[in-house]
Amino acid sequence: MTTDSCYRGTGLGKQLMNHVMAILKVHYSAATIEIDAQTHAQKFYEKFGLIAEGQPYIDLGAEVIKMHAPARKLVLA
């Protein structure tokens, strides 16, 4: 997920993630959620229970890191 720069710091990204996390916990609780997060946003995603794994790498010019969590362990931030 990327939030347009004019909306960063407004809480919109957090609201969207809370909504998505709630849906994942209810409808996909047995699944493992995996994302490729830009490293500058890693702490943001950690607040929702996602855990970084491996080393960062470059994807389309951005430094990213793989993150994952069982959907049942995701949290609302």
Side-chain angles (χ1 to χ4, degrees):
M1 177 182 84
T2 301
T3 305
D4 189 280
S5 60
C6 68
Y7 293 104
R8 291 184 190 146
T10 66
L12 179 61
K14 182 178 175 180
Q15 289 177 7
L16 288 170
M17 284 296 293
N18 277 327
H19 183 72
V20 170
M21 295 299 120
I23 290 169
L24 291 171
K25 285 177 69 89
V26 170
H27 297 286
Y28 301 96
S29 62
T32 296
I33 307 307
E34 298 177 354
I35 68 168
D36 294 332
Q38 291 187 9
T39 55
H40 69 83
Q42 180 177 341
K43 291 192 185 311
F44 173 78
Y45 291 111
E46 287 173 345
K47 292 177 186 176
F48 298 96
L50 290 155
I51 301 164
E53 68 176 59
Q55 296 297 315
Y57 60 95
I58 303 299
D59 184 28
L60 299 175
E63 187 177 66
V64 297
I65 190 160
K66 292 195 175 294
M67 300 186 80
H68 66 93
R72 68 184 177 282
K73 291 189 176 183
L74 295 172
V75 296
L76 302 181

